[in-house]
């Protein structure tokens, strides 16, 4: 006579506890290393030389055409053409391999709080960038960020710009419905402007003659 076991493995609390600890440990390991990519997944690793890392840090995204295709693994200092540069170690999706050798690199600003990312624009060269290859400094395109534009203004102008933005914010506060109505009317308004534009562009309007005449008149009265 055969007897069924009254203590199957699935009902063993020690086994269930050990299995739970194992699953939680694996989940924590994957979560901790999420920025470094999943283990055992093949990747395409290259370096990119840029004139300035612009506060880029490891873990920032790498995009191609607005889609995330990898991450920045490391940012280090180096020298190229006798000048200090930044060397970016990029870990990319395997599907991108190989990139053309004339691929352009730009460090861009993703948000006004300072978050940066690397933009790659694949070229058309037949020469590829191999695994562990390098995109040279000549392929780096500098980008102008908003903070750099603002830093070109003197302190008085920056204060005036800040006051103007604050005043506009107060003026637009609580007027969301009005703005929505204005945007809703834009198609009709733009349609009317198209008719006006075609009329002004017609030969009978002679818009060029009017502009030239106005310029001549302004030049004649400018001395007096």
């Amino acid at each position: 006579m055969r007897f069924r076991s009254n203590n199957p493995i699935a009902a063993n609390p020690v086994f269930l506890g050990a299995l739970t600890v194992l699953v939680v440990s694996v989940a924590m390991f994957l979560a901790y290393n999420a920025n470094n990519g999943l283990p055992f997944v093949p990747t395409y690793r290259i370096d990119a030389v840029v004139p300035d890392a612009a506060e880029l840090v490891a873990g920032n995204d790498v995009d191609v055409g607005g889609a995330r295709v990898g991450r920045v693994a490391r940012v280090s200092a180096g020298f190229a053409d006798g000048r200090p540069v930044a060397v970016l170690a990029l870990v990319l999706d395997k599907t991108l391999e190989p990139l053309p050798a004339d691929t352009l690199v730009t460090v861009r600003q993703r948000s006004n709080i300072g978050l940066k990312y690397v933009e790659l624009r694949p070229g058309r060269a037949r020469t590829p960038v191999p695994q562990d290859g390098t995109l040279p400094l000549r392929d780096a395109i500098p980008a102008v960020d908003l903070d750099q534009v603002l830093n070109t203004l003197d302190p008085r102008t920056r204060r005036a710009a800040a006051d103007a933005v604050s005043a506009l914010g107060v003026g637009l506060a609580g007027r969301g419905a009005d703005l929505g109505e204005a945007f809703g009317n834009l198609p009709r308004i733009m349609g009317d402007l198209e008719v006006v534009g075609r009329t002004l562009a017609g030969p009978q309007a002679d818009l060029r003659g009017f502009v030239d005449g106005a310029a001549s008149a302004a030049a004649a009265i400018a001395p007096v």
Side-chain angles (χ1 to χ4, degrees), residues 2 41 67 69-70 73 93 104 106-107 126 132 134 139 144 146 167 169 180 199-200:
R2 295 182 178 179
V41 175
V69 296
D93 294 344
L104 302 179
T106 307
V107 179
R126 296 184 178 180
D132 298 322
T134 301
D139 293 334
V144 179
L146 179 61
T199 303
L200 292 176

Side-chain angles (χ1 to χ4, degrees), residues 18-89:
L19 181 61
T20 302
V21 171
L22 178 62
V23 171
V24 171
S25 300
V26 172
M28 291 181 63
F29 173 79
L30 293 178
Y32 182 77
N33 292 277
N35 288 334
N36 297 325
L38 296 176
F40 312 115
V41 175
T43 56
Y44 176 36
R45 295 175 177 267
I46 63 173
D47 290 342
V49 182
V50 294
D52 187 355
E55 300 181 3
L56 200 72
V57 296
N60 286 152
D61 291 344
V62 180
D63 290 7
V64 171
R68 184 181 184 276
V69 296
R71 59 181 176 82
V72 178
R74 185 180 66 259
V75 180
S76 57
F79 282 90
D81 300 332
R83 55 179 289 190
V85 296
V87 181
L88 312 178

Side-chain angles (χ1 to χ4, degrees), residues 87-180:
V87 181
L88 312 178
L90 308 180
V91 179
L92 309 175
D93 294 344
K94 194 69 173 178
T95 54
L96 287 177
E97 186 179 8
L99 285 171
D102 59 346
T103 297
L104 302 179
V105 185
T106 307
V107 179
R108 293 194 177 277
Q109 183 171 329
R110 188 178 295 281
S111 66
N112 290 332
I113 62 175
L115 185 64
K116 303 295 180 71
Y117 72 99
V118 177
E119 180 188 46
L120 298 179
R121 281 185 276 175
R124 298 182 178 180
R126 296 184 178 180
T127 305
V129 180
Q131 182 78 251
D132 298 322
T134 301
L135 291 172
L137 182 62
R138 66 173 180 269
D139 293 334
I141 300 179
V144 179
D145 296 329
L146 179 61
D147 56 347
Q148 294 174 306
V149 175
L150 295 178
N151 287 335
T152 62
L153 306 176
D154 57 61
R156 182 179 178 182
T157 305
R158 288 200 295 268
R159 287 194 299 268
D163 293 340
V165 171
S166 299
L168 287 173
V170 174
L172 294 177
R175 290 176 172 78
D178 296 335
L179 288 174

